Amino acid sequence: MSTQRRFDSVSAAKTWSRRQESRSGDRDLLPRVFGEDTFGLREMRARLPDNVYKQLVRTIEHGEELDPGIADTVAAAMKDWALSRGATHYTHWFQPLTGATAEKHDSFLKVGRDGRAITDFGGDELVQGEPDASSFPSGGLRATFEARGYTAWDPTSPAFIMGGESATYLCIPTAFSSWAGESLDAKIPLLRSIDALDRVTRRALKLFGIDAGRVTANLGPEQEFFLLDREFYYRRPDLMTSGRTLFGAKPPRGQELDDHYFGQIHERVLACVQSVEMDLYRLGVPMKTRHNEVAPGQYEMAPVYENANVASDHQQLMMRILERNARQYGFVCLLHEKPFRGINGSGKHVNWSFGTSDRNLMDPGDTPHDNLIFLFFCTAVMSAVEKHQDLLLACVSSAGNDHRLGANEAPPSIISIFLGSQLEDIFNQLEESGRAQEREHEGLLGLGVNVLPDLPRHSGDRNRTSPFAFTGNKFEFRAVGSSASISLPATVLNTIVAEAIDDWTELLEPIVEAGTSIEDALWTLLSNEIPSFKRIIFNGDNYAPEWVEEAARRGLLNTGSAVDALPALAAHKNEVLFDKFGVFSPRELDARLEVLTEQYFIKINIEGETAAHMARCMILPAAVTYLNQLTSARAGAADAGASTAGLDSNAARVAGLIDELTAALDELDAQNEELGGDEVSSKVIHMRDNVIPATNAVRDVADRMEKVIPDDLWPFPTYRDMLFVK
Ligand code: ADP
Ligand code: MG
């Protein structure tokens, strides 16, 4: 039976077929396909009257409000373009609080009075939609009597065609809100946070004599994922229901050999990844890097960074296309943070910076003046991160990410900043050496460093263990989970940094207006402020147990589990923060907390139930069959007068494991039965404190059983099968 299963998979690995993609010698392939499935500026210019096009550009590039009068014209052009790309339907494409994307298709079809079909798509349909919102989580924002939700066109993210052999349709990126205008999605708060950052940054830049254009946040997310043969996936109820393995003994060969990282990409994987990239190019997603990751079967892809709103939409597309195309190559793409115990999990490194179209404010720059601006904004980020460790942990916390950030695996759930030794040295000097005048001749701020960029930008120190690392011209937020939307983390980052910039601008403005130079004013401000957030800087190994102790001494937050981290979302300090910058109302914040808490509960609940089912209905019967084989063999051996000692000891061992499994299963069943009260806040505590340990206890016995039960009786693929068949 089981042997047959393994042969099935091996045959899938052997018989995958290539999609016709790599047309060798086609020099124009990339320029030609890039963006061809998007209604972006290129198509708009070609298809829209000049004045309409210019209005759209002002909205897209400068954030100006859109004149609703142009909607009909844009809709007509968009429809023509979509039809020319083979679309039959359109959908408002939005990001409800589930963290995924949602769509509801309508056809372009309209039947005329003479019974003939025409196509139709007006400005109204482009601008606003009304999906039946009752099934989307709202965290209490939408009373059941008012199930309506509205989607509203986001002209700043290009509409695109999703298509395959089965269906082709137009997707219009939209925001999703309740009838009262409260955000039910991931996009609206992100857009609001980008606006907040824009406002405060432009005001701050005036202190430096710069009258800046639109400031935007930029994101470059690196996505880690596993590819697993589909044959294995369908034979594992745990993978199918929860995206991760709830059982599995450690294989004889794990990632110890370190031979996978940056190794040559296996051909079937390469073909699959290449197809993902080609489809993403068509969607205008600028995919850049791909490589094998540390664990066997684990890979990473990353695009070139883009403005936060588009990057966040594109990141969703990347995940969806990965999942879709993996199946075309006989794989399943696992985006879960921890699909396999004992080998690395997957994260999403969110590279973040902000600036104007010609100035990255996270780049130290080339002149002392640029350096000064950089110091202001970089330290603002640091103080924000220190002040809002709780929020940064909350916005990345989930049942899945607990396996990475939680108690059992490094890195711990402690936020710290890696600066690199040279930049840290500069901050130390800033803090220690008083005012700058005495050493003016020595260059910038009297530190003896004229120009910063050669220091950190090309410095050799890289720290892969830090959850928040400065990497030369951006910060890299590494604690984000691989399956998560990057919207919320980006929203949080934009907002907390906006607050720090705003606070400091408030302090500096009157001083500078009174005649002090910005250099002197900033110098004083920084030497006053640095001591208050300096403890967040840590350049050492975040995986080392000593760091946990050191962080505790420094008084840094260590939440341990999503159950502890999530409530910070709605803490008073954070309500005030988000309300002040118009990013979340207190009700909207509560809604996020409720939905994320509910998701934690549901996920652990499903895992508990699935583990119980697999153990009782798959593993236990296999063990019983084996015991039966042993005992009948023993009877036969005794009849034949052969030795029975080995059979006896094996039978005793299996019988003992069956006893252990049964006891652990009874306990898990009892914990699954109990939901932990009526409130979701108490249910999650039950899940964390009782269901997870009971699930792990069952696994512990089952994994020992896997090592004694014959291969051909074991009811599902093992780690050895899954990790090494490609
Ligand atoms: P590494 O693995 O060395 O950290 P990668 O090349 O895999 O780097 O990914 C780095 C990511 O950071 C890419 O998506 C890249 O476009 C992005 N990035 C580079 N510069 C910036 C910036 N200024 N702001 C935001 N993201 C950036
Ligand atoms: Mg990388």
Side-chain angles (χ1 to χ4, degrees):
M1 264 282 290
S2 182
T3 324
Q4 182 55 41
R5 266 182 207 122
R6 294 204 174 104
F7 283 128
D8 284 352
S9 327
V10 173
S11 88
K14 281 187 194 149
T15 58
W16 64 278
S17 66
R18 219 167 303 256
R19 212 171 76 174
Q20 278 312 307
E21 198 65 77
S22 45
R23 314 165 181 96
S24 55
D26 181 354
R27 298 177 48 169
D28 294 329
L29 180 64
L30 291 182
R32 184 161 44 74
V33 301
F34 188 75
E36 72 174 5
D37 282 345
T38 64
F39 192 67
L41 289 178
R42 197 174 54 189
E43 284 301 327
M44 288 181 187
R45 184 160 49 206
R47 292 173 180 269
L48 290 170
D50 206 38
N51 62 325
V52 174
Y53 170 72
K54 284 190 176 134
Q55 271 201 45
L56 271 171
V57 170
R58 282 200 296 275
T59 301
I60 294 167
E61 292 187 346
H62 308 292
E64 284 180 24
E65 209 168 308
L66 191 75
D67 170 9
I70 66 170
D72 275 330
T73 314
V74 179
M78 201 186 273
K79 183 196 78 176
D80 280 348
W81 169 76
L83 294 175
S84 78
R85 305 287 310 158
T88 54
H89 289 63
Y90 69 91
T91 178
H92 279 195
W93 183 80
F94 56 103
Q95 295 166 35
L97 299 182
T98 53
T101 57
E103 38 191 74
K104 175 199 165 212
H105 300 193
D106 278 293
S107 77
F108 286 117
L109 179 86
K110 189 177 170 186
V111 181
R113 255 192 254 160
D114 60 357
R116 274 195 300 182
I118 53 171
T119 58
D120 186 49
F121 182 59
D124 291 348
E125 288 136 309
L126 168 65
V127 170
Q128 197 182 74
E130 200 182 305
D132 174 11
S134 52
S135 306
F136 294 110
S138 76
L141 277 182
R142 207 193 37 237
T144 32
F145 62 84
E146 183 37 288
R148 258 179 298 189
Y150 295 95
T151 49
W153 177 38
D154 169 15
T156 63
S157 183
F160 56 90
I161 297 283
M162 276 299 245
E165 272 144 37
S166 29
T168 304
Y169 54 97
L170 170 69
C171 291
I172 302 160
T174 52
F176 181 45
S177 72
S178 74
W179 66 276
E182 287 166 314
S183 156
L184 293 171
D185 73 345
K187 186 187 270 285
I188 295 173
L190 177 61
L191 289 171
R192 292 174 182 160
S193 74
I194 296 169
D195 277 348
L197 189 61
D198 170 50
R199 266 194 320 273
V200 300
T201 305
R202 283 207 267 174
R203 180 170 155 204
L205 281 170
K206 292 215 172 80
L207 288 168
F208 297 90
I210 295 175
D211 196 8
R214 172 115 179 128
V215 171
T216 170
N218 295 308
L219 299 176
E222 303 166 47
Q223 174 76 53
E224 292 176 340
F225 56 94
F226 281 85
L227 288 176
L228 174 75
D229 196 286
R230 195 174 50 189
E231 296 290 327
F232 296 134
Y233 176 82
Y234 287 126
R235 293 189 161 86
R236 300 257 341 190
D238 47 3
L239 283 174
M240 289 179 63
T241 61
S242 59
R244 77 179 185 99
T245 53
L246 299 168
F247 299 98
K250 200 172 171 316
R253 178 186 150 192
Q255 65 189 47
E256 291 84 359
L257 296 174
D258 270 339
D259 54 351
H260 189 68
Y261 191 54
F262 278 25
Q264 187 180 357
I265 305 177
H266 186 274
E267 205 192 339
R268 175 158 65 133
V269 172
L270 189 58
C272 171
V273 165
Q274 171 93 10
S275 87
V276 170
E277 287 171 328
M278 290 309 293
D279 285 346
L280 287 170
Y281 289 145
R282 294 192 172 94
L283 291 166
V285 185
M287 296 308 296
K288 187 69 178 167
T289 60
R290 61 187 186 205
H291 60 79
N292 284 0
E293 257 304 327
V294 173
Q298 192 186 27
Y299 309 91
E300 179 187 299
M301 296 174 82
V304 177
Y305 68 94
E306 300 177 277
N307 84 62
N309 178 38
V310 170
S312 163
D313 284 359
H314 281 173
Q315 158 61 207
Q316 288 285 358
L317 284 175
M318 196 204 301
M319 292 193 286
R320 300 292 85 80
I321 302 282
L322 261 169
E323 288 177 327
R324 182 190 77 185
N325 290 21
R327 287 171 186 260
Q328 297 167 356
Y329 289 85
F331 288 120
V332 168
C333 174
L334 301 177
L335 293 171
H336 193 283
E337 284 74 16
K338 194 71 180 177
F340 304 100
R341 180 188 275 183
I343 60 173
N344 276 24
S346 301
K348 187 138 49 196
H349 295 177
V350 180
N351 294 271
W352 172 92
S353 67
F354 62 107
T356 61
S357 57
D358 54 7
R359 180 189 283 269
N360 171 7
L361 294 167
M362 294 293 99
D363 192 320
D366 295 324
T367 67
H369 187 64
D370 288 343
N371 290 176
L372 202 67
I373 297 174
F374 165 74
L375 277 181
F376 173 83
F377 288 105
C378 182
T379 41
V381 174
M382 290 160 59
S383 98
V385 169
E386 197 277 340
K387 182 169 176 190
H388 297 294
Q389 299 158 48
D390 60 337
L391 264 180
L392 289 168
L393 285 169
C395 74
V396 299
S397 285
S398 66
N401 216 16
D402 267 4
H403 295 284
R404 294 175 63 235
L405 306 178
N408 38 5
E409 282 219 13
S413 43
I414 302 169
I415 295 290
S416 65
I417 298 181
F418 169 81
L419 274 188
S421 51
Q422 284 146 321
L423 205 50
E424 184 180 17
D425 185 45
I426 287 169
F427 283 100
N428 284 337
Q429 292 187 53
L430 267 172
E431 187 192 2
E432 285 153 19
S433 49
R435 293 185 62 85
Q437 289 95 307
E438 306 96 75
R439 293 154 68 191
E440 222 163 13
H441 58 281
E442 286 178 36
L444 172 77
L445 304 174
L447 293 174
V449 238
N450 225 329
V451 191
L452 293 179
D454 292 339
L455 303 173
R457 196 152 49 182
H458 305 297
S459 78
D461 41 5
R462 295 277 271 167
N463 178 332
R464 294 245 150 239
T465 66
S466 177
F468 201 85
F470 181 71
T471 44
N473 58 2
K474 57 183 159 72
F475 277 95
E476 190 169 336
F477 188 19
R478 304 209 182 102
V480 183
S482 50
S483 67
S485 154
I486 59 174
S487 246
L488 183 60
T491 303
V492 166
L493 270 175
N494 294 343
T495 312
I496 65 176
V497 171
E499 180 196 46
I501 294 172
D502 193 47
D503 286 351
W504 286 4
T505 308
E506 290 277 337
L507 287 173
L508 289 174
E509 264 177 1
I511 301 172
V512 171
E513 269 160 32
T516 307
S517 75
I518 177 67
E519 285 85 345
D520 288 347
L522 181 60
W523 181 234
T524 310
L525 175 85
L526 291 185
S527 33
N528 288 340
E529 293 287 334
I530 287 173
S532 71
F533 59 79
K534 206 184 138 191
R535 62 175 180 163
I536 198 75
I537 302 171
F538 180 64
N539 285 334
D541 179 3
N542 294 69
Y543 291 7
E546 299 81 49
W547 167 231
V548 178
E549 293 159 27
E550 164 69 16
R553 270 197 298 280
R554 295 187 187 189
L556 296 176
L557 198 61
N558 184 355
T559 44
S561 123
V563 175
D564 304 305
L566 286 172
L569 273 181
H572 180 67
K573 135 183 164 309
N574 300 327
E575 275 189 3
V576 172
L577 164 76
F578 285 116
D579 205 32
K580 176 175 177 190
F581 290 94
V583 173
F584 289 115
S585 70
R587 269 167 56 85
E588 288 174 330
L589 213 47
D590 277 343
R592 267 70 191 173
L593 171 59
E594 191 174 320
V595 170
L596 291 173
T597 311
E598 177 89 21
Q599 279 181 352
Y600 179 95
F601 162 70
I602 292 171
K603 290 214 166 116
I604 305 295
N605 184 230
I606 289 175
E607 290 186 359
E609 304 266 357
T610 305
H613 167 79
M614 287 173 75
R616 200 175 289 283
C617 306
M618 299 174 88
I619 298 171
L620 190 59
V624 170
T625 305
Y626 182 39
L627 181 60
N628 196 21
Q629 287 176 358
L630 285 169
T631 48
S632 34
R634 196 237 179 246
D639 282 352
S643 162
T644 59
L647 290 165
D648 281 335
S649 92
N650 278 301
R653 179 193 292 169
V654 175
L657 286 167
I658 289 174
D659 288 346
E660 273 192 73
L661 185 69
T662 307
L665 253 173
D666 289 345
E667 170 65 13
L668 178 57
D669 281 345
Q671 298 299 350
N672 281 340
E673 199 68 34
E674 164 70 49
L675 289 180
D678 295 330
E679 295 296 317
V680 69
S681 54
S682 70
K683 286 182 186 169
V684 291
I685 292 174
H686 171 65
M687 291 297 133
R688 182 196 58 189
D689 293 348
N690 302 319
V691 174
I692 291 179
T695 306
N696 287 340
V698 168
R699 177 182 189 149
D700 176 62
V701 190
D703 288 358
R704 279 184 282 133
M705 283 178 151
E706 188 192 313
K707 292 187 171 163
V708 300
I709 290 179
D711 264 9
D712 64 347
L713 292 179
W714 194 249
F716 40 76
T718 63
Y719 275 27
R720 189 189 59 216
D721 303 320
M722 291 187 286
L723 293 172
F724 298 104
V725 175
K726 291 204 178 79

